[in-house]
Amino acid sequence: MQALRITLCAATMAVAFAANAAEVEVLHWWTSGGEAKAAAELKKMLEAKGHKWKDFAVAGGAGENAMTALKTRVVSGNPPTAAQIKGPAIQEWGEEGVLASIDDVAKKENWDKLLPPVVSNVMKYKGSYVAVPVNVHRVNWLWVNPELLKKANAKAPTTIDEFFATAEALKKAGIQAVAYGGQPWQDATVFEAIALGVGGPDFYKKAFIQLDANALKSPTMVKSLETYKRIKPYTDKNSAGREWNLATAMVINGKAAMQFMGDWAKGEFLAAGKVPGKDFLCVPAPGTANDYTFNIDSFAMFKLPNKDAEKGEKDFASAVMSTQFQEVFNLNKGSIPVRAGMDMSKFDSCGQQSAKDFQTTSKKGTLLPSFAHGMAMHSATQGAYYDAISQFWNDDKMTAKQAADKLVAAAKVQ
Ligand code: GAL
């Protein structure tokens, strides 16, 4: 009897489940080792809520390809349920009138209290939540292979001068100093870290947030560009077009000693079974220990045709903000939870340092949006900045002054 009752009950629940089950199609670009492991956790959690995950993964670091694919789908009137859209681009999509409000979930779960305003403001369009944040990535990191440094008798650099001294020592020892991926977003990732190290946070704000022409053509900008270009002799001839995770693999496998990259790189080290502090080091990009360039991943929600689909969307948003998800996803991704009050005890030393520095820099006013990762400017302006920086990196005839002029012009592109 008892057994029968349990079976019946389970059957009724299954029916109830099926009635509300939705197919949740999620666009993202998390296809590398660490990224894919993190994305798998998202899928698992959604399926545990009874929905079906439909993967819309578009490979390509920083999501340029994914954004192209998204535009095609939205224009044809067939958007996915949710898409990895970040920063000011959320407003751009909001203006297209295609995003859905998830305010009821956000109110019920008190998101305004769980998120710092610097984050919640970006997730809202005209005062309503239309996106849910996943994490906080720190971008201004340098990833180091300590064994190679030891071979060259060099130390992990803290200043820009030390960085070039270490690079030179590695070169002399026959070791490639820098693993580099020559793609516009990666060029910008390295450049923004160098510019911050050379010019400091006030200069960074003027050049990349306020788009101030005087800062963009200043001697500090010229020096930042020159310093950035000094890295090139320490990279290899095959770096053009290389994906970021392949550059990270070079550090993991001892082919190169250092990589400038955000902490999604840590996801690659961890996925390869490497231990922070032992097999690899995370150090703030030279000269930027007191600053924090942030990159917050988020999913924007699209207007959907029916109630079941909306239910799936809201369950998805709620899962993303849950403490379980924020922990397990970020342990794999290399980032830290964006939700306040999380227990950080399972996170490694890099994650704990990131969480601590996020708080400190936020109080000091040196928590800065990463322009290379879509946090600081309109996407068209960002694209023009990318072009100027990549052209300068690739064209050895172009002077730093010419590149600075290009940045001044880029700042006017909207
Ligand atoms: C960033 C994104 C990260 C990571 C990286 C490389 O823009 O925010 O989550 O995926 O690109 O693809």
Side-chain angles (χ1 to χ4, degrees):
M1 232 356 232
Q2 178 75 1
L4 179 65
R5 215 174 293 138
I6 290 170
T7 318
L8 273 175
C9 183
T12 325
M13 271 173 65
V15 170
F17 235 26
N20 287 325
E23 185 177 80
V24 177
E25 186 180 20
V26 183
L27 171 78
H28 63 95
W29 61 87
W30 291 329
T31 54
S32 78
E35 289 178 332
K37 277 183 84 175
E41 295 297 337
L42 186 53
K43 175 180 178 198
K44 223 193 277 170
M45 207 154 282
L46 189 81
E47 287 179 344
K49 286 185 182 259
H51 299 296
K52 191 167 172 287
W53 168 275
K54 189 169 176 203
D55 204 37
F56 184 2
V58 183
E64 233 172 292
N65 303 343
M67 288 304 104
T68 310
L70 178 63
K71 277 175 200 146
T72 313
R73 282 283 301 274
V74 177
V75 165
S76 68
N78 179 27
T81 314
Q84 197 184 338
I85 300 177
K86 313 186 290 181
I90 295 171
Q91 304 304 311
E92 294 171 28
W93 282 100
E95 275 150 31
E96 298 296 318
V98 290
L99 298 186
S101 165
I102 44 170
D103 257 351
D104 45 355
V105 187
K107 286 223 169 73
K108 203 165 108 210
E109 298 181 354
N110 231 340
W111 289 10
D112 276 347
K113 289 247 155 58
L114 297 176
L115 296 171
V118 65
V119 179
S120 56
N121 291 339
V122 177
M123 300 300 135
K124 292 176 185 173
Y125 176 68
K126 294 200 168 147
S128 284
Y129 277 95
V130 291
V132 59
V134 175
N135 60 4
V136 182
H137 272 301
R138 185 181 196 171
V139 185
N140 58 323
W141 283 118
L142 183 72
W143 303 92
V144 178
N145 180 318
E147 211 181 297
L148 294 184
L149 287 201
K150 212 165 142 203
K151 277 193 187 146
N153 204 9
K155 61 173 192 169
T158 57
T159 63
I160 291 190
D161 286 347
E162 281 178 18
F163 169 77
F164 285 107
T166 293
E168 201 47 38
L170 286 158
K171 199 175 181 184
K172 288 221 172 80
I175 298 165
Q176 184 178 328
V178 180
Y180 197 89
Q183 294 179 337
W185 74 268
Q186 294 189 70
D187 295 336
T189 301
V190 180
F191 176 65
E192 78 175 14
I194 295 293
L196 180 59
V198 169
D202 289 338
F203 168 71
Y204 183 99
K205 284 180 197 163
K206 284 193 192 118
F208 305 125
I209 304 172
Q210 294 152 18
L211 316 182
D212 176 279
N214 289 329
L216 291 169
K217 60 181 182 217
S218 67
T220 310
M221 179 54 84
V222 172
K223 185 163 179 224
S224 302
L225 286 157
E226 284 166 355
T227 309
Y228 166 56
K229 196 71 184 267
R230 275 178 67 198
I231 299 172
K232 201 171 173 184
Y234 300 106
T235 65
D236 61 314
K237 294 258 171 318
N238 298 326
S239 64
R242 179 186 285 137
E243 281 288 342
W244 68 273
N245 56 318
L246 300 181
T248 309
M250 292 170 74
V251 181
I252 295 176
N253 299 326
K255 298 259 180 330
M258 304 183 279
Q259 183 190 18
F260 286 91
M261 192 47 62
D263 44 22
W264 46 94
K266 192 182 79 181
E268 298 300 299
F269 284 98
L270 299 181
K274 302 293 177 192
V275 178
K278 178 175 161 273
D279 304 320
F280 70 96
L281 310 176
C282 54
V283 294
T288 72
N290 296 321
D291 314 311
Y292 190 120
T293 45
F294 69 84
N295 169 22
I296 292 169
D297 284 313
S298 50
F299 285 102
M301 306 296 168
F302 283 86
K303 284 184 180 157
L304 297 172
N306 63 59
K307 288 265 171 274
D308 278 353
E310 280 173 14
K311 167 89 170 56
E313 182 166 68
K314 286 173 186 169
D315 282 354
F316 173 80
S318 171
V320 166
M321 275 293 285
S322 69
T323 51
Q324 301 95 299
F325 173 79
Q326 291 272 325
E327 181 178 86
V328 72
F329 177 88
N330 288 305
L331 283 171
N332 284 293
K333 187 71 168 64
S335 36
I336 56 168
V338 66
R339 183 183 165 127
M342 290 281 301
D343 173 9
M344 290 297 291
S345 58
K346 288 203 189 129
F347 285 78
D348 57 34
S349 49
C350 307
Q352 288 183 2
Q353 186 183 339
S354 174
K356 190 172 130 262
D357 291 351
F358 184 79
Q359 299 298 340
T360 329
T361 55
S362 151
K363 285 189 194 110
K364 279 197 312 209
T366 59
L367 177 65
L368 307 160
S370 161
F371 93 79
H373 291 276
M375 297 289 114
M377 51 181 82
H378 191 282
S379 54
T381 321
Q382 179 185 314
Y385 268 62
Y386 275 15
D387 286 349
I389 295 158
S390 292
Q391 242 181 304
F392 176 60
W393 178 264
N394 292 317
D395 179 355
D396 289 338
K397 292 204 187 74
M398 191 175 192
T399 64
K401 175 80 188 59
Q402 285 168 327
D405 288 343
K406 280 201 177 288
L407 285 173
V408 174
K412 298 193 185 112
V413 176
Q414 279 273 333

Coordinates of all heavy atoms in Angstrom, one line a residue, residues 29-30 35 60-62 84 86 137 185 244 264 295 297 333 373, ligand 1:
W29 N 29.4 31.6 -24.7 CA 30.6 31.3 -25.4 C 31.6 30.5 -24.5 O 32.8 30.6 -24.7 CB 31.2 32.5 -26.0 CG 31.7 33.6 -25.1 CD1 32.9 33.7 -24.5 CD2 31.0 34.8 -24.8 NE1 33.0 34.9 -23.8 CE2 31.8 35.6 -23.9 CE3 29.7 35.3 -25.1 CZ2 31.4 36.8 -23.4 CZ3 29.3 36.5 -24.5 CH2 30.2 37.2 -23.7
W30 N 31.1 29.8 -23.6 CA 31.9 29.1 -22.7 C 32.3 27.7 -23.2 O 31.6 26.7 -22.8 CB 31.3 29.0 -21.3 CG 31.2 30.4 -20.7 CD1 32.1 31.4 -20.8 CD2 30.2 30.9 -19.8 NE1 31.7 32.5 -20.1 CE2 30.5 32.2 -19.4 CE3 29.0 30.3 -19.2 CZ2 29.7 33.0 -18.5 CZ3 28.2 31.1 -18.3 CH2 28.6 32.4 -18.0
E35 N 35.7 26.8 -18.8 CA 34.4 27.5 -19.1 C 33.4 26.4 -19.2 O 32.3 26.5 -18.7 CB 34.5 28.3 -20.4 CG 35.3 29.5 -20.3 CD 35.4 30.2 -21.6 OE1 35.3 29.5 -22.7 OE2 35.6 31.4 -21.7
G60 N 34.6 31.1 -29.2 CA 35.3 32.4 -29.5 C 35.4 33.2 -28.3 O 34.3 33.7 -27.8
G61 N 36.6 33.4 -27.8 CA 36.8 34.1 -26.5 C 36.2 35.5 -26.6 O 36.1 36.1 -27.7
A62 N 35.7 35.9 -25.5 CA 35.1 37.3 -25.3 C 33.8 37.5 -26.1 O 33.2 38.6 -26.0 CB 36.0 38.4 -25.5
Q84 N 24.2 35.5 -23.0 CA 25.3 36.1 -22.2 C 25.5 37.5 -22.8 O 26.2 37.7 -23.8 CB 26.5 35.2 -22.4 CG 27.6 35.5 -21.4 CD 28.8 34.6 -21.6 OE1 28.8 33.6 -22.3 NE2 30.0 35.0 -21.1
K86 N 26.5 41.5 -21.5 CA 27.2 42.2 -20.3 C 27.2 43.7 -20.4 O 27.1 44.2 -21.5 CB 28.6 41.7 -20.2 CG 28.9 40.3 -20.4 CD 30.3 39.9 -20.1 CE 31.3 40.3 -21.2 NZ 32.7 39.9 -20.9
H137 N 34.7 38.6 -12.5 CA 36.0 38.2 -12.9 C 36.9 39.4 -12.7 O 36.5 40.6 -13.0 CB 36.1 37.9 -14.5 CG 35.8 36.5 -14.8 ND1 36.5 35.5 -14.4 CD2 34.8 36.0 -15.7 CE1 36.0 34.3 -14.9 NE2 35.0 34.6 -15.7
W185 N 40.3 41.4 -28.9 CA 39.9 41.5 -27.5 C 41.1 41.2 -26.5 O 41.2 41.8 -25.5 CB 38.7 40.7 -27.2 CG 38.9 39.2 -27.1 CD1 38.8 38.3 -28.1 CD2 39.3 38.4 -25.9 NE1 39.2 37.0 -27.7 CE2 39.4 37.1 -26.4 CE3 39.6 38.7 -24.6 CZ2 39.8 36.1 -25.5 CZ3 39.9 37.7 -23.7 CH2 40.1 36.4 -24.2
W244 N 42.8 32.5 -26.5 CA 43.4 32.8 -25.1 C 43.7 31.5 -24.4 O 44.7 31.4 -23.7 CB 42.4 33.6 -24.3 CG 41.2 32.9 -24.0 CD1 40.0 32.8 -24.7 CD2 40.9 32.1 -22.8 NE1 39.1 32.1 -24.1 CE2 39.6 31.6 -22.9 CE3 41.6 31.8 -21.7 CZ2 39.0 30.8 -21.9 CZ3 41.0 31.0 -20.7 CH2 39.7 30.5 -20.8
W264 N 39.4 33.9 -15.8 CA 38.9 32.7 -16.5 C 40.1 31.8 -16.9 O 39.9 30.6 -17.0 CB 38.1 33.1 -17.7 CG 38.7 34.1 -18.6 CD1 39.4 33.9 -19.7 CD2 38.5 35.5 -18.5 NE1 39.8 35.1 -20.3 CE2 39.3 36.1 -19.6 CE3 37.9 36.4 -17.6 CZ2 39.4 37.5 -19.8 CZ3 38.0 37.7 -17.8 CH2 38.7 38.3 -18.9
N295 N 35.0 42.4 -14.6 CA 34.3 42.0 -15.7 C 33.2 41.0 -15.2 O 33.5 40.0 -14.6 CB 35.2 41.2 -16.7 CG 34.5 40.4 -17.7 OD1 33.4 40.8 -18.1 ND2 35.1 39.4 -18.3
D297 N 30.0 38.7 -15.8 CA 29.2 38.0 -16.7 C 27.8 38.0 -16.3 O 27.5 37.9 -15.1 CB 29.7 36.5 -16.8 CG 31.0 36.4 -17.6 OD1 31.1 37.0 -18.7 OD2 31.9 35.7 -17.1
K333 N 34.9 28.4 -12.7 CA 35.1 29.4 -13.8 C 36.3 30.2 -13.5 O 36.9 30.9 -14.4 CB 33.8 30.3 -13.8 CG 33.8 31.3 -14.9 CD 33.6 30.6 -16.3 CE 33.3 31.6 -17.4 NZ 34.4 32.6 -17.7
H373 N 36.4 44.2 -21.8 CA 35.3 43.2 -21.6 C 33.9 43.8 -21.5 O 33.1 43.3 -20.7 CB 35.7 42.2 -20.4 CG 36.9 41.4 -20.8 ND1 36.7 40.3 -21.5 CD2 38.2 41.7 -20.7 CE1 37.9 39.8 -21.8 NE2 38.8 40.6 -21.4
Ligands
GAL1 C1 35.1 37.2 -21.2 C2 34.0 36.5 -20.4 C3 34.6 35.4 -19.6 C4 35.4 34.5 -20.4 C5 36.3 35.2 -21.4 C6 36.9 34.3 -22.4 O1 34.6 38.3 -21.9 O2 33.4 37.5 -19.5 O3 33.5 34.8 -18.9 O4 34.6 33.6 -21.0 O5 35.6 36.2 -22.1 O6 36.0 33.8 -23.3

